[in-house]
């Protein structure tokens, strides 16, 4: 039996969802035009008036917003309500530069938490569950979002925040946590630490994990599911659209349903800005349909992704997004070839290595260099230099097949790659320092 938080809307017909979106967008564009001077100017420059937007079909007439706009408008320039009506501020993790801040009214917080509640229930959560929230609490949206969602479901919430892994494990075991929420890299770390402490996957009461906030591969999912003895579900979101819960995975575990009653999604060509037909790969763009305080229209996420509308066995009708294939600005161009860190992760896990790795890029004699530090597990760890060298050459072969360019592999002893408690830093690009 599929588990829903708001079954009626989550399984509504396509026509019903469209009608709701059309009704909301008209109101939302009017709200933004009247209250957000920054965006009003962009609309005026483009010659678009609120009356021109009568349905979601018309959204393509609106100007885009980018991270650069958010920085320029920092801190209050995109605020849609008086500051006095806001009850919360969050901020991005600053993965790719200066932080941006987002504002929330109580209505916005409620909608956001409902989205997270949908995600928890889609991952089989109920009021009987003990939900361990090991995303960071604070300015980062991860902790607050899943915390609020867990409350809405009526689960018993364990507000651990990230870090202090020994205490995470102690509480997980003593208080019988059944659902773990954190970044996938931290879930992998917790799984590794559990094993080191002598626990088998069956020793914990966890049944599911809700992992997101950073890219992770299918191979990583399998590895976490095995080490924790759970089902691992993906969740997606960004501070600019409220936080996690914009999209979430269901029992099918094959892509994330976008909460279309609150967010209208488009896929565009990142170079031309042209809207691409369904099923095309491109940059994901979101329009918040009913947020009050930080109502971004056509926000370019820079996440590269595909949307599909195939019927899902869970009964949900919301469109599905695939795992983001990295951000457009995550993509590494090495010797002219496009490389995504996720491709490297796939090779490593397929070849039986741990998800503990770091990628280093540099430029020597005008040529880009790509080095991958890969940690050996205790069992793989061998003193025999020849054996290590053979493994390195093998892995270099597999890497060349996947990437189309050569990478230098360095197998390093167990525990030499730093573990992540939040978003993992996988890439060190030294070219930028020169
Ligand atoms: P920052 O941009 O500073 O990292 P956020 O904390 O708001 O700020 O992160 C949002 C970004 O995190 C998204 O745009 C996306 O690139 C990434 N992200 C979030 N969830 C996922 C996920 N499930 N899979 C892959 N990437 C994700
Ligand atoms: Zn589904």
């Amino acid at each position: 039996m599929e588990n829903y938080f708001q079954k009626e809307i989550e399984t509504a017909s396509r026509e019903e969802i469209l009608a709701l979106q059309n009704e909301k967008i008209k109101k939302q564009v009017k709200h933004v035009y009247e209250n957000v001077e920054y965006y009003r100017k962009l609309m005026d420059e483009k010659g678009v008036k609120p009356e021109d937007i009568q349905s979601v079909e018309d959204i393509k007439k609106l100007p885009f917003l980018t991270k650069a706009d958010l920085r320029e408008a920092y801190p209050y320039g995109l605020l849609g309500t008086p500051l006095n009506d806001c009850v919360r501020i969050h901020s991005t993790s600053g993965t790719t530069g200066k932080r941006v801040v987002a504002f929330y009214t109580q209505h916005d917080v409620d909608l956001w938490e409902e989205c997270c509640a949908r995600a928890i229930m889609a991952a089989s959560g109920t009021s009987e569950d003990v939900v361990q929230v090991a995303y960071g609490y604070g300015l980062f949206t991860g902790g607050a979002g899943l915390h609020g969602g867990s409350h809405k479901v009526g689960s018993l919430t364990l507000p651990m925040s990230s870090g202090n892994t020994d205490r995470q494990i102690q509480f997980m075991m003593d208080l019988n946590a059944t659902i773990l929420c954190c970044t996938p890299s931290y879930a992998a770390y917790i799984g590794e630490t559990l094993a080191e402490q002598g626990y088998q996957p069956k020793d914990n009461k966890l049944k599911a994990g809700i992992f997101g906030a950073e890219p992770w591969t299918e191979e990583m999912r399998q590895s976490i599911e095995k080490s924790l003895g759970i089902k691992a579900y993906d969740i997606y979101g960004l501070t600019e659209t409220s936080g996690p819960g914009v999209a979430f995975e269901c029992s099918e575990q094959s892509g994330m349903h976008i909460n279309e009653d609150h967010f209208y999604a488009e896929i565009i060509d990142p170079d031309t800005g042209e809207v691409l037909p369904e099923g095309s790969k491109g940059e994901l763009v979101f329009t918040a349909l009913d947020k009050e305080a930080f109502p971004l229209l056509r926000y370019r996420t820079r996440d590269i992704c595909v949307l599909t509308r195939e019927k899902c066995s869970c009964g949900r009708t919301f469109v599905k997004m695939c795992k983001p294939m990295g951000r457009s600005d995550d993509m590494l161009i090495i010797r002219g070839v496009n490389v995504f860190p996720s491709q490297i992760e796939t090779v490593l896990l397929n070849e039986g290595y741990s998800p503990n790795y770091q990628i280093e890029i540099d430029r020597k004699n005008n040529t880009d260099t790509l080095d991958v530090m890969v940690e050996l597990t205790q069992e793989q760890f061998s003193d025999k230099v020849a054996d290590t060298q053979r493994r390195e050459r093998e892995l270099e072969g597999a890497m060349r097949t996947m990437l189309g360019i050569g990478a230098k592999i360095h197998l390093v002893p167990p525990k030499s790659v730093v573990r992540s408690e939040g978003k993992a830093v996988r890439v060190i690009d030294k070219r930028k320092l020169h």
Side-chain angles (χ1 to χ4, degrees):
M1 255 280 284
E2 188 71 29
N3 208 18
Y4 309 97
F5 180 66
Q6 289 164 320
K7 182 170 183 194
E8 208 176 315
I9 186 67
E10 291 179 61
T11 60
S13 71
R14 184 82 203 107
E15 294 69 40
E16 285 170 309
I17 294 170
L18 257 178
L20 183 66
Q21 289 181 325
N22 288 340
E23 184 192 309
K24 286 187 179 184
I25 189 65
K26 281 191 273 186
K27 266 177 70 182
Q28 185 71 329
V29 173
K30 195 163 172 288
H31 164 59
V32 172
Y33 193 81
E34 284 169 5
N35 297 297
V36 184
E37 193 192 328
Y38 188 95
Y39 199 77
R40 178 167 61 240
K41 276 194 187 142
L42 292 181
M43 281 177 67
D44 287 344
E45 277 165 24
K46 217 168 177 243
V48 197
K49 293 275 166 250
E51 308 78 76
D52 297 332
I53 313 301
Q54 290 299 318
S55 72
V56 286
E57 257 304 293
D58 295 327
I59 284 183
K60 54 177 177 290
K61 299 176 187 164
L62 291 168
F64 290 117
L65 278 172
T66 64
K67 204 135 188 159
D69 290 306
L70 267 64
R71 290 188 183 127
E72 195 179 325
Y74 176 93
Y76 300 124
L78 286 158
L79 199 57
T81 54
L83 202 51
N84 202 20
D85 292 347
C86 298
V87 297
R88 184 91 67 80
I89 292 177
H90 280 286
S91 167
T92 61
S93 340
T95 312
T96 55
K98 190 178 159 207
R99 288 165 181 268
V100 298
V101 289
F103 300 86
Y104 306 69
T105 61
Q106 186 57 50
H107 160 269
D108 296 335
V109 171
D110 285 335
L111 292 186
W112 174 30
E113 292 180 353
E114 282 173 18
C115 287
C116 290
R118 289 179 189 174
I120 292 171
M121 291 197 67
S124 79
T126 68
S127 59
E128 314 267 295
D129 280 295
V130 179
V131 177
Q132 178 162 354
V133 183
Y135 283 109
Y137 278 61
L139 282 171
F140 176 52
T141 53
L146 271 304
H147 179 98
S150 171
H151 272 228
K152 289 254 192 273
V153 174
S155 311
L156 179 57
T157 312
L158 244 171
M160 297 297 298
S161 194
S162 60
N164 203 337
T165 308
D166 286 342
R167 192 180 60 189
Q168 298 277 358
I169 287 175
Q170 189 196 335
F171 275 59
M172 173 188 288
M173 303 307 278
D174 292 352
L175 302 175
N176 296 318
T178 53
I179 298 184
L180 175 65
C181 307
C182 59
T183 58
S185 55
Y186 195 38
Y189 180 26
I190 292 175
E192 180 187 11
T193 312
L194 273 167
E196 278 170 11
Q197 296 187 358
Y199 292 110
Q200 304 283 326
K202 63 171 171 30
D203 295 337
N204 69 64
K205 293 282 186 303
L206 292 176
K207 63 174 182 183
I210 303 173
F211 306 130
E214 65 182 359
W216 54 311
T217 57
E218 277 306 321
E219 290 76 14
M220 182 82 160
R221 187 209 302 268
Q222 283 158 23
S223 154
I224 295 172
E225 289 192 331
K226 210 163 125 215
S227 74
L228 291 171
I230 59 168
K231 277 195 167 298
Y233 299 86
D234 204 351
I235 185 168
Y236 169 91
L238 50 164
T239 314
E240 295 88 328
T241 56
S242 61
V246 170
F248 61 96
E249 243 175 10
C250 62
S251 53
E252 244 195 32
Q253 292 178 289
S254 62
M256 296 175 270
H257 290 287
I258 294 174
N259 282 309
E260 286 187 282
D261 52 337
H262 302 305
F263 301 101
Y264 182 78
E266 299 169 276
I267 292 285
I268 63 159
D269 178 327
D271 298 325
T272 63
E274 182 201 348
V275 179
L276 299 176
E278 220 152 79
S280 318
K281 181 168 140 185
E283 180 179 349
L284 191 53
V285 174
F286 282 114
T287 294
L289 294 170
D290 44 17
K291 280 177 65 192
E292 296 175 340
F294 205 59
L296 302 190
L297 306 182
R298 297 200 95 194
Y299 180 65
R300 291 183 60 158
T301 63
R302 298 185 290 180
D303 291 322
I304 303 295
C305 177
V306 177
L307 301 181
T308 48
R309 248 180 222 293
E310 277 156 37
K311 200 168 177 327
C312 188
S313 63
C314 76
R316 287 180 185 80
T317 43
F318 293 154
V319 70
K320 269 157 102 171
M321 60 181 272
C322 70
K323 272 185 178 302
M325 301 158 185
R327 304 183 187 197
S328 45
D329 49 5
D330 255 3
M331 189 180 75
L332 306 165
I333 303 182
I334 302 170
R335 282 171 245 143
V337 176
N338 299 349
V339 172
F340 282 102
S342 60
Q343 295 176 297
I344 293 176
E345 182 175 297
T346 296
V347 172
L348 294 180
L349 292 174
N350 274 340
E351 299 291 317
Y353 290 91
S354 75
N356 301 311
Y357 63 94
Q358 196 147 52
I359 301 164
E360 214 176 275
I361 303 144
D362 206 343
R363 181 165 291 149
K364 286 174 191 144
N365 304 326
N366 294 320
T367 307
D368 295 333
T369 57
L370 169 60
D371 290 80
V372 188
M373 263 52 74
V374 186
E375 199 180 285
L376 291 166
T377 60
Q378 204 63 50
E379 298 85 73
Q380 290 166 335
F381 189 50
S382 156
D383 286 331
K384 288 187 227 125
V385 176
D387 194 35
T388 305
Q389 285 176 346
R390 180 184 52 79
R391 283 171 173 278
E392 285 175 346
R393 295 300 88 74
E394 272 172 17
L395 204 43
E396 281 169 359
M399 216 50 97
R400 178 179 284 282
T401 308
M402 170 66 102
L403 308 177
I405 56 164
K408 181 125 187 60
I409 302 286
H410 308 266
L411 294 175
V412 295
K415 298 280 167 209
S416 38
V417 173
V418 66
R419 300 294 186 269
S420 149
E421 297 173 345
K423 295 194 189 224
V425 180
R426 303 287 197 194
V427 182
I428 299 172
D429 195 341
K430 294 187 167 168
R431 293 177 299 189
K432 292 173 186 157
L433 302 175
H434 298 322

